[in-house]
């Protein structure tokens, strides 16, 4: 499977090439997508019924998916973001969020199930692409310096994600206190 064949299954190759300039950059984005934590954060927020976390992470996931031209994932995360926008904006503006609407449990479950299926389809296809590419064409595209840079980037991302998770936990704690005061 080459990069065009991968994108035929997960997004829009021509648009990705237009936005990201060349296949080397697209390859790096594809590799980085596997360790990008936003989807996990979004699903955690959904399971905790953290409505602001859902809003915040769906916004980020929409941006990432749009930037990589992952059409269906972008559309599904955008629908979730829009569904929770009023709630998220009310909290950001310091207003009482109890007066705004957001999806009921059944509608949320349906949206998140669709999102989860699309995300796993993308991840499965990227993993297949990388297995194939490791044995074939990607070896020619990624030299030792690139491989070292990718490993270094993944290590930085892990450290950044660790700090981001700690920050999100602090923010969630503060928001919970604010919601408790409002309630």
């Amino acid at each position: 499977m080459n990069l065009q064949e991968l994108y035929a299954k997960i997004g829009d190759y021509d648009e990705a090439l237009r936005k990201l300039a060349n296949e080397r950059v697209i390859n790096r984005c594809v590799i980085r997508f596997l360790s990008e934590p936003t989807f996990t954060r979004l699903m955690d927020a959904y399971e905790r019924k953290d409505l602001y976390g859902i809003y915040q992470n769906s916004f980020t996931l929409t941006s990432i998916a749009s930037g990589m031209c992952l059409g269906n994932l972008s559309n599904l995360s955008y629908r979730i973001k829009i569904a929770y926008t009023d709630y998220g904006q009310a909290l950001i503006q310091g207003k009482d969020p109890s007066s705004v609407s957001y999806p009921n449990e059944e509608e949320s479950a349906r949206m998140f199930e669709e999102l989860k299926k699309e995300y796993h389809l993308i991840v499965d296809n990227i993993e297949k692409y990388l297995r194939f590419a490791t044995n074939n064409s990607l070896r020619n595209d990624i030299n030792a310096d690139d491989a070292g840079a990718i490993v270094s980037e993944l290590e930085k991302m892990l450290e950044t994600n660790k700090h981001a998770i700690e920050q999100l936990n602090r923010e969630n704690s503060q928001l919970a206190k604010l919601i408790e005061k409002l309630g």
Side-chain angles (χ1 to χ4, degrees):
M1 175 187 306
N2 64 31
L3 196 56
Q4 286 180 317
E5 292 166 334
L6 170 65
Y7 261 84
K9 296 177 180 190
I10 67 169
D12 184 337
Y13 173 80
D14 292 331
E15 185 65 14
L17 192 57
R18 186 187 67 72
K19 280 185 176 183
L20 301 173
N22 62 56
E23 283 196 355
R24 181 176 245 168
V25 174
I26 296 171
N27 274 325
R28 286 185 177 183
C29 289
V30 164
I31 291 166
R32 288 179 182 157
F33 183 79
L34 293 177
S35 62
E36 210 299 310
T38 303
F39 175 79
T40 303
R41 289 181 188 154
L42 177 58
M43 295 310 294
D44 288 345
Y46 170 67
E47 288 184 17
R48 290 189 326 269
K49 297 186 184 335
D50 172 7
L51 302 181
Y52 184 71
I54 292 170
Y55 166 73
Q56 190 176 37
N57 289 294
S58 62
F59 184 88
T60 303
L61 186 59
T62 299
S63 298
I64 291 166
S66 295
M68 288 182 63
C69 305
L70 304 174
N72 287 341
L73 186 65
S74 177
N75 293 337
L76 293 169
S77 58
Y78 180 77
R79 281 182 25 217
I80 291 171
K81 179 190 93 162
I82 292 301
Y84 287 89
T85 292
D86 290 343
Y87 187 89
Q89 289 299 313
L91 282 177
I92 289 169
Q93 296 167 3
K95 296 178 183 174
D96 180 6
S98 64
S99 64
V100 298
S101 64
Y102 51 89
N104 63 37
E105 279 191 45
E106 185 178 307
E107 186 179 351
S108 289
R110 185 184 46 75
M111 287 192 298
F112 277 91
E113 192 56 39
E114 287 179 53
L115 181 72
K116 196 183 321 182
K117 284 179 185 174
E118 184 63 26
Y119 177 81
H120 289 296
L121 174 82
I122 290 170
V123 167
D124 290 346
N125 278 292
I126 290 173
E127 288 172 347
K128 287 176 191 170
Y129 164 71
L130 291 176
R131 277 192 301 275
F132 176 82
T134 300
N135 295 323
N136 296 301
S137 62
L138 196 58
R139 281 190 185 156
N140 299 328
D141 294 339
I142 296 180
N143 59 34
D145 291 337
D146 286 340
I150 290 169
V151 168
S152 175
E153 185 64 32
L154 289 173
E155 288 170 347
K156 285 183 206 171
M157 288 169 57
L158 286 171
E159 188 63 27
T160 300
N161 292 340
K162 181 179 167 185
H163 292 297
I165 289 169
E166 290 169 358
Q167 178 64 29
L168 282 172
N169 287 337
R170 285 190 295 273
E171 289 174 7
N172 283 338
S173 176
Q174 291 171 347
L175 281 171
K177 290 175 185 175
L178 176 65
I179 292 170
E180 202 173 286
K181 286 180 184 178
L182 291 173

